[in-house]
Amino acid sequence: MGGRRRPTMADVAREAGVAAKTVSRVLNGEGPVAAGTRERVLAVVGRLGYRPNLMARNMRVGAADATVGLVVPELGNPFFGAVAGGVERVVRARGLTLVLGCSSETAALEQALIATFLARRVSALMIVPSAAAEHRHLRAERAAGLPIVFLDRPAAGLTADCVVSANRQGARTGVAHLLAHGHRRVGFIGDRPAGLHPRRERFQGYRDALEEAGLPADRALVATGHDREAAAAAARRLLALPDPPTALFTGDDLATTGAVVALSGAGRRDVALVGFDDPPLAECLDPPLTAVAQDPAGMGVAAAELALSRLDGDRSRARRTVIPTRLVVRGSGELRPAPGAPRPAPS
Amino acid sequence: MGGRRRPTMADVAREAGVAAKTVSRVLNGEGPVAAGTRERVLAVVGRLGYRPNLMARNMRVGAADATVGLVVPELGNPFFGAVAGGVERVVRARGLTLVLGCSSETAALEQALIATFLARRVSALMIVPSAAAEHRHLRAERAAGLPIVFLDRPAAGLTADCVVSANRQGARTGVAHLLAHGHRRVGFIGDRPAGLHPRRERFQGYRDALEEAGLPADRALVATGHDREAAAAAARRLLALPDPPTALFTGDDLATTGAVVALSGAGRRDVALVGFDDPPLAECLDPPLTAVAQDPAGMGVAAAELALSRLDGDRSRARRTVIPTRLVVRGSGELRPAPGAPRPAPS
DNA sequence: TTGAAAGCGCTAACAT
DNA sequence: ATGTTAGCGCTTTCAA
């Protein structure tokens, strides 16, 4: 019990009465090996419980390690869990192993993780950058040929591949859905730091939709909440305005659930709601929630495929892949504006 | 551009006019180094963008790699995402790196992942075993001192550390809640393969509660669904029985959401429901969902801490850590039995 | 305070 | 069909 030295290839070789290289050949199915020798070697391998040391192999082969590094802000968040799942599937299918770290949305932790991964000589790097992070320091790595793909949010201070949701278009479609049902005052509630890429883009999409409809952008209808409770409070605040919105558009999952809590808590079945991210029980709500669904697993898959194509030698210029969103219409976006509000007939 | 050889310690040494060992000393803050030498070395390190190669270091040191391997069935599942997040936090705080793989609930993939991790010489192994898996082959590793912790489900064919939810107790409490509100016919809907540990334990807890209340176990009230739709269908089937249940207990998240869909779709606000796993929007449902909440992040943390204590030399016998569940009472468990059903006064 | 040599476990490049 | 030698990038051991 307890920590006997692991058998090495040399042990196997000695025991089998062959040279180490022969063991290597057997294990890697390389050059020609006599059937008898092969069997003898495999028998010893089994008996000794020998496991090849991948680190040693990689080092000798000189190649980068057969791993890709992924940094996400938080694994507990189902969105990033799904992203990581997508990455893992692709990476694994290619025979690579996923090395994973959580930055807790902290630039310092993110950088430490990246440093660790680089020291491990990962074959590729995929990063969901935290809000405050800076990536200038990765320029040399990129120049040296390391594939680096940013996920969900673009890099700061670095031109690099990037995979994002169709945030702006998705928000525009969601808000347009509300406008198409007669709403003229639509509130916006965002949660993630206002400077964050997805939040900015979604807000832009909100404004795009208003502008297309010839409606003014009223700053009083824009609110922010840093968590579910804050988002709920923001929703209540908006609804308490002298000239309140008749519909809400929420910019992310926390804001959406916050708004749902606020509306259901207040019994306000008359306020329409459309929001980013499609939570599992959306269709069980009353009214059923109309949502802009993202495809996090698809984002992970796309990012991993992009990284692998770089690994395969694709040297074309950095590109941004946009993963479409999908408006899932279930009813909460079709409520009528509160009585008294202007209500043009749909064209 | 594109793939210049990475600078090695020897490059730094040559450039700085010192021996490799001196560079090593500077970088590891080891033996005594003259201040001037240190600065010269660090300058070259910065100029060349040198990054120590962790693989080489680990190999020489002979120690296991500074990684722990984690196998989960599916990262897209928020439960396992949270588990992985808990593991990562602890592992990272210890300076180790998480290596992650998804088995897709497949024994073969799981075994392949484990083999890869062993080849990488991970310092510890944590596994959420898939239903059909067998772990006899890990005996030698365990005997050799490798910490191995099983998560959510115990190992098969191997005595090893294990961290699980209080499945039986949680289910018992949930069902007792229904019984305390006058229900006498409680249906059980389970989803995961019936042989799976959590499913079995939760079913046992269901029977425990019935037995404590002196109620018969009616096999007709037990159903299985393999996904959300199937679970919903199972719920509808139970409610269509000649002598239908007045309440449902669901054994996992898919069964729970399936039951919610079925009940809300049928407008059956008279059927009580309590289920395992507390979904994000539980409180927004109508009626608000009473749920048995697990603590997946806590499970990950506990498992990682257990593994690390083994790494630190704890040689005590294998232990099972049970992470408590929490009954979150919100109302769906307190509905009255349908009219006509016997309804004894609560004691 | 620094350096030289040996070697971790493996495989590429040559033998044989 | 198999064995030998050298060396991947680093650290240990011993010496200066």
Side-chain angles (χ1 to χ4, degrees):
Chain A
M1 77 173 77
R4 201 158 62 277
R5 191 178 68 79
R6 271 175 182 288
T8 75
M9 188 172 271
D11 297 328
V12 176
R14 190 175 342 97
E15 201 85 359
V18 298
K21 179 67 208 183
T22 301
V23 179
S24 170
R25 278 199 261 262
V26 169
L27 262 37
N28 295 307
E30 249 186 30
V33 180
T37 314
R38 141 173 285 109
E39 285 191 23
R40 197 147 31 92
V41 168
L42 288 179
V44 175
V45 164
R47 186 153 53 75
L48 263 46
Y50 168 73
R51 310 252 190 188
N53 185 328
L54 246 187
M55 287 195 295
R57 171 174 220 289
N58 277 326
M59 217 183 79
R60 173 64 243 221
V61 174
D65 192 15
T67 53
V68 310
L70 171 64
V71 181
V72 297
E74 210 59 72
L75 266 181
N77 182 326
F79 180 84
F80 296 118
V83 167
V87 169
E88 201 273 346
R89 196 167 43 203
V90 173
V91 153
R92 173 95 204 130
R94 174 64 174 267
L96 300 172
T97 299
L98 182 65
V99 180
L100 187 67
C102 301
S103 66
S104 305
E105 199 76 74
T106 303
L109 243 178
E110 176 184 323
Q111 187 145 344
L113 283 165
I114 291 173
T116 304
F117 292 171
L118 291 175
R120 298 204 91 78
R121 299 292 188 267
V122 293
S123 295
L125 202 45
M126 319 193 38
I127 305 169
V128 178
S130 56
E134 230 290 333
H135 307 283
R136 228 187 296 275
H137 63 107
L138 286 175
R139 281 185 188 172
E141 300 295 337
R142 231 184 84 80
L146 178 72
I148 306 182
V149 178
F150 287 83
L151 258 160
D152 190 44
R153 317 161 188 178
L158 179 72
T159 306
D161 291 323
C162 167
V163 174
V164 293
S165 267
N167 291 304
R168 187 164 176 174
Q169 176 60 33
R172 195 176 109 187
T173 305
V175 174
H177 178 77
L178 290 167
L179 299 179
H181 287 86
H183 294 278
R184 286 302 169 261
R185 288 185 67 71
V186 177
F188 179 93
I189 305 179
D191 174 56
R192 304 208 241 188
L196 215 51
H197 176 81
R199 155 76 196 245
R200 272 208 321 270
E201 289 287 306
R202 292 169 194 177
F203 183 60
Q204 268 306 326
Y206 162 77
R207 309 232 312 197
D208 290 348
L210 293 183
E211 190 174 331
E212 268 166 32
L215 292 171
D218 185 347
R219 289 299 299 182
L221 295 184
V222 178
T224 297
H226 294 305
D227 57 39
R228 178 158 138 179
E229 296 322 314
R236 283 189 282 266
R237 223 163 31 241
L238 288 181
L239 295 177
L241 286 177
D243 187 5
T246 62
L248 296 177
F249 183 81
T250 45
D252 65 87
D253 57 343
L254 288 176
T256 302
T257 57
V260 168
V261 168
L263 293 181
S264 85
R268 293 294 300 267
R269 294 183 36 99
D270 59 317
V271 177
L273 174 63
V274 173
F276 246 87
D277 282 13
D278 193 27
L281 288 176
E283 71 187 82
C284 302
L285 297 176
D286 183 27
L289 182 66
T290 292
V292 181
Q294 300 186 75
D295 180 12
M299 293 177 67
V301 167
E305 283 173 346
L306 184 45
L308 292 184
S309 79
R310 296 301 187 185
L311 205 54
D312 290 337
D314 177 351
R315 293 265 178 278
S316 57
R317 44 180 299 203
R319 61 173 165 277
R320 168 172 304 201
T321 303
V322 178
I323 305 296
T325 58
R326 197 167 45 91
L327 182 70
V328 184
V329 177
R330 296 204 187 85
S332 72
E334 293 158 25
L335 304 178
R336 303 156 159 221
R343 187 157 153 249
S347 64
Chain B
M1 75 175 73
R4 203 159 59 276
R5 191 178 68 79
R6 272 175 181 289
T8 76
M9 189 173 270
D11 296 328
V12 175
R14 190 174 344 96
E15 201 84 358
V18 298
K21 177 66 211 185
T22 303
V23 178
S24 170
R25 279 198 261 261
V26 170
L27 262 38
N28 294 309
E30 250 186 26
V33 181
T37 314
R38 141 173 283 107
E39 285 192 23
R40 198 145 32 91
V41 168
L42 289 179
V44 175
V45 164
R47 186 153 54 74
L48 262 48
Y50 168 73
R51 312 249 192 190
N53 185 328
L54 249 183
M55 286 195 296
R57 171 173 220 290
N58 276 326
M59 215 184 81
R60 176 64 242 222
V61 174
D65 192 14
T67 52
V68 311
L70 170 65
V71 181
V72 296
E74 209 59 73
L75 266 181
N77 182 326
F79 180 84
F80 297 119
V83 167
V87 169
E88 200 274 345
R89 195 168 44 207
V90 173
V91 154
R92 172 97 205 129
R94 176 61 175 267
L96 300 172
T97 299
L98 181 65
V99 180
L100 187 67
C102 301
S103 66
S104 305
E105 199 77 74
T106 303
L109 243 177
E110 176 184 324
Q111 188 145 342
L113 283 166
I114 291 173
T116 304
F117 293 171
L118 291 175
R120 283 196 168 284
R121 298 295 188 267
V122 293
S123 295
L125 203 45
M126 318 191 41
I127 306 168
V128 178
S130 56
E134 231 289 334
H135 304 98
R136 229 187 297 273
H137 62 108
L138 286 175
R139 279 183 190 173
E141 301 294 337
R142 229 184 86 80
L146 178 72
I148 306 182
V149 178
F150 288 81
L151 259 160
D152 190 44
R153 316 162 189 178
L158 179 71
T159 305
D161 291 323
C162 167
V163 174
V164 294
S165 268
N167 291 305
R168 186 164 177 175
Q169 175 60 33
R172 195 176 110 186
T173 306
V175 174
H177 177 77
L178 291 167
L179 300 179
H181 287 86
H183 293 278
R184 286 300 169 264
R185 288 186 65 72
V186 178
F188 179 91
I189 306 179
D191 174 54
R192 305 207 242 189
L196 216 50
H197 175 81
R199 155 76 197 246
R200 272 207 322 269
E201 289 288 305
R202 292 170 194 176
F203 183 61
Q204 267 307 326
Y206 161 78
R207 309 231 314 196
D208 290 348
L210 292 183
E211 190 172 333
E212 269 166 32
L215 292 171
D218 185 348
R219 289 298 301 181
L221 294 183
V222 177
T224 297
H226 294 306
D227 58 38
R228 179 157 137 182
E229 296 321 314
R236 282 188 283 267
R237 220 161 35 240
L238 288 181
L239 296 177
L241 287 176
D243 188 4
T246 63
L248 296 177
F249 183 80
T250 46
D252 65 87
D253 56 344
L254 289 176
T256 302
T257 57
V260 168
V261 168
L263 293 181
S264 85
R268 292 295 301 266
R269 295 182 38 98
D270 59 317
V271 177
L273 174 63
V274 172
F276 245 88
D277 282 13
D278 193 27
L281 289 176
E283 71 187 83
C284 302
L285 296 176
D286 183 28
L289 182 67
T290 292
V292 181
Q294 299 186 75
D295 180 11
M299 293 176 67
V301 167
E305 283 173 346
L306 185 45
L308 292 184
S309 80
R310 295 301 187 186
L311 205 54
D312 290 337
D314 178 351
R315 292 264 177 278
S316 57
R317 46 181 297 205
R319 64 171 163 277
R320 168 173 304 202
T321 304
V322 178
I323 306 295
T325 57
R326 196 167 47 91
L327 181 70
V328 184
V329 177
R330 295 204 187 86
S332 71
E334 295 158 24
L335 304 178
R336 306 158 158 218
R343 186 156 157 251
S347 64

